[in-house]
Amino acid sequence: MTRPSSICDHYPLAIIGGGLTGKMVALALSHSGYDSALIAPKAPAIKQADRRSTKIHHAGAKMLDALGLTDALSGKLAPIHVIRVAVGAQKPMQSDWLLNWSDPHEVMAYVVENQALDDALDDALDQAIATAIAKPD
């Protein structure tokens, strides 16, 4: 009796979940030369807009650039130049900031809408798949 072929017979790595993290891992693995399978529910025919946003720190921005996503997100990344933390619910005076970081010349992080990041990842993964099919081993 032989067992049926499974996805594990074809791919040494499987990523379970097609959210932002799963797609980012799959794209990073494709850039690293690893064969992997991204296992996720089928996307609905009409994609519901995701109004949430994500903060991307300096190292995360470097990763987006290394994966070729920076151009796709051009104009969609909002830079953060000031971060202030206060204690209490009242509007603090300038001298009341518990922590205050600012640099008008250096970007500390970015904010991007999840939908824009998801669309850029989908496009990059489609391109990675097309490239892999065009260049089989």
Side-chain angles (χ1 to χ4, degrees):
M1 183 168 161
T2 61
R3 77 176 171 85
S5 176
S6 76
I7 199 161
C8 297
D9 294 330
H10 302 284
Y11 298 97
L13 298 167
I15 299 120
I16 311 299
L20 293 176
T21 302
K23 289 178 183 181
M24 187 73 75
V25 169
L27 185 59
L29 287 170
S30 76
H31 280 260
S32 301
Y34 289 97
D35 288 334
S36 64
L38 179 59
I39 302 169
K42 183 177 178 183
I46 299 173
K47 203 172 185 181
Q48 189 172 12
D50 185 349
R51 304 272 183 227
R52 297 173 296 168
S53 62
T54 296
K55 183 206 54 91
I56 299 171
H57 53 78
H58 182 69
K62 282 185 168 185
M63 186 168 93
L64 290 177
D65 193 45
L67 295 176
L69 295 172
T70 304
D71 288 343
L73 293 170
S74 178
K76 297 173 184 167
L77 294 170
I80 297 173
H81 291 279
V82 177
I83 299 173
R84 294 183 176 138
V85 178
V87 176
Q90 297 174 341
K91 186 174 181 180
M93 302 298 286
Q94 188 171 2
S95 61
D96 292 336
W97 294 113
L98 181 62
L99 301 171
N100 185 4
W101 297 279
S102 64
D103 188 337
H105 306 293
E106 289 289 324
V107 175
M108 302 168 116
Y110 295 92
V111 175
V112 63
E113 289 182 3
N114 285 5
Q115 190 64 55
L117 184 54
D118 191 54
D119 290 345
L121 284 165
D122 283 345
D123 291 346
L125 284 167
D126 287 346
Q127 182 62 40
I129 291 167
T131 301
I133 291 170
K135 297 180 183 177
D137 289 336

